[in-house]
Amino acid sequence: MTSPSQSPRIGRAKAATARPVVAPERILIVAPITVGDMVLAEPLTRLLRRLYPKAAIDMLAPPGTADLAPFMPEVRTALPTPYAPGDLALFARWRLSRRLRGENYHLAILLPNSIKSALVPFLAGIPKRVGYAREGRALLLTEARWLDRARLKRRIDRFLALALPETATPPFDALAPSLLVPDDAIDRALDNLGLERPAGRLLLLVPGADEAPAKRWPPEDLAALARHHHAAGGSVWLLGSAETRAATTAVQAASGGICLDFAGRTSLAEAVALIALADAVVSNDTGLTQVAAALGRRALVELTPRQAIDALSASERRP
């Protein structure tokens, strides 16, 4: 094991026996466990496509984030794990590894840093397994990298670096995260929810519950924004998980019942489709804010309520 000041090589005990992979034909990305990190993983798929134009790129993702993979054009297949990220689930992981062994992957890139996330690629016998040497998992990897936080300050850079030589230094030549939602996915989401496309501009409010109170929009401010947008002829929909239903109910009450509340009624894929349909999004949920940005939707969360109203007013005046 080397120190951060040396060449960033660590835990290469398995490297001597690993079969060399020059141009992998099948690549498996072990995906992050949070929505926000999953969005940040999207540029990695485009980098891999540029490096290996003919490779099939699949994503092994936990149930909570697997729904995002189909919106990444470079990903061939999303493989939801049959277990939650925190579960040891040794038998389920072993059965999954047997299945993946038949897929003949040549390269696995592990984005989570847990030892559990390294078990399936190891048991599947994927010849090249690249990740950061954390939680004592170096022996499960064929290329265990030292995580140099001074060199790789941003999480997106840490993901990209795993596909590049160890000496590569950011900024890397990569675009910002971008998701693509086809029209038929929007139509399916609307049909599942019994909705039609709104005639006017659509504002999505995601009250959430994860952000610190100092960074969270209070229900009264969200309601004021909803009333302003509704008065200008727009539609206002509320999104959230079942756990945030109390927050959406508070916004709905403060707004006078002018919103449609879908908290706990959408899958992640449906929520993404509705965000793609929206003209603007205000979200206390960091993950869905990143989804909105990756879809090119205006995310007003960084503005004050007054600034957000002014921004909506300016957009409403545009044809």
Side-chain angles (χ1 to χ4, degrees):
M1 184 175 296
T2 62
S3 69
S5 60
Q6 297 172 300
S7 175
R9 299 172 182 269
I10 185 168
R12 291 303 184 81
K14 299 289 293 183
T17 58
R19 298 193 300 276
V21 178
V22 177
E25 297 177 4
R26 294 192 176 207
I27 301 171
L28 181 68
I29 299 173
V30 181
I33 66 173
T34 68
V35 171
D37 284 353
M38 186 71 160
V39 173
L40 295 180
E42 188 279 332
L44 173 63
T45 69
R46 280 181 285 158
L47 174 61
L48 289 170
R49 173 64 62 230
R50 191 165 74 237
L51 294 174
Y52 310 111
K54 297 181 180 180
I57 302 170
D58 295 341
M59 220 171 219
L60 180 65
T65 59
D67 277 356
L68 283 177
F71 302 125
M72 302 179 186
E74 308 302 342
V75 175
R76 180 186 67 168
T77 304
L79 305 169
T81 62
Y83 46 80
D87 296 341
L88 185 56
L90 285 176
F91 183 66
R93 291 177 191 269
W94 178 83
R95 289 185 61 184
L96 177 59
S97 71
R98 298 301 92 186
R99 172 187 166 195
L100 295 184
R101 185 178 285 273
E103 296 294 332
N104 296 316
Y105 290 108
H106 304 112
L107 167 64
I109 296 180
L110 285 68
L111 302 186
N113 291 324
S114 68
I115 190 170
K116 290 189 288 292
S117 67
L119 288 173
V120 169
F122 172 76
L123 293 171
I126 298 175
K128 186 172 183 179
R129 305 180 297 277
V130 184
Y132 293 109
R134 309 295 298 276
E135 292 194 0
R137 68 178 188 170
L139 293 180
L140 299 179
L141 305 173
T142 61
E143 190 171 316
R145 303 277 186 96
W146 176 271
L147 178 53
D148 186 347
R149 296 178 183 274
R151 183 174 65 95
L152 303 171
K153 295 182 173 65
R154 303 185 306 163
R155 193 175 302 272
I156 192 171
D157 291 330
R158 296 170 189 174
F159 291 168
L160 293 169
L162 292 174
L164 297 168
E166 292 174 295
T167 53
T169 301
F172 301 125
D173 181 18
L175 299 175
S178 177
L179 301 175
L180 179 63
V181 179
D183 283 342
D184 61 345
I186 296 175
D187 291 336
R188 281 196 305 273
L190 292 173
D191 186 60
N192 290 343
L193 296 167
L195 296 170
E196 295 183 355
R197 290 180 180 248
R201 294 178 180 272
L202 174 61
L203 172 66
L204 287 184
L205 303 180
V206 191
D210 295 332
E211 289 294 331
K215 297 182 178 181
R216 191 185 308 157
W217 277 49
E220 296 77 14
D221 287 345
L222 290 173
L225 192 60
R227 290 193 301 271
H228 170 85
H229 188 71
H230 186 264
S235 299
V236 184
W237 296 352
L238 295 164
L239 285 182
S241 64
E243 290 74 20
T244 63
R245 194 170 289 150
T248 60
T249 300
V251 174
Q252 178 74 312
S255 70
I258 61 174
C259 309
L260 291 180
D261 188 350
F262 299 106
R265 294 176 52 190
T266 65
S267 66
L268 176 58
E270 289 167 344
V272 172
L274 295 185
I275 291 172
L277 183 63
D279 295 283
V281 179
V282 175
S283 174
N284 284 329
D285 184 308
T286 304
L288 291 184
T289 299
Q290 289 176 289
V291 168
L295 290 170
R297 296 300 174 261
R298 300 175 66 227
L300 307 178
V301 70
E302 296 298 329
L303 304 181
T304 66
R306 182 67 257 171
Q307 290 171 331
I309 288 176
D310 290 343
L312 282 178
S313 297
S315 67
E316 288 156 1
R317 288 193 293 269
R318 291 196 295 267

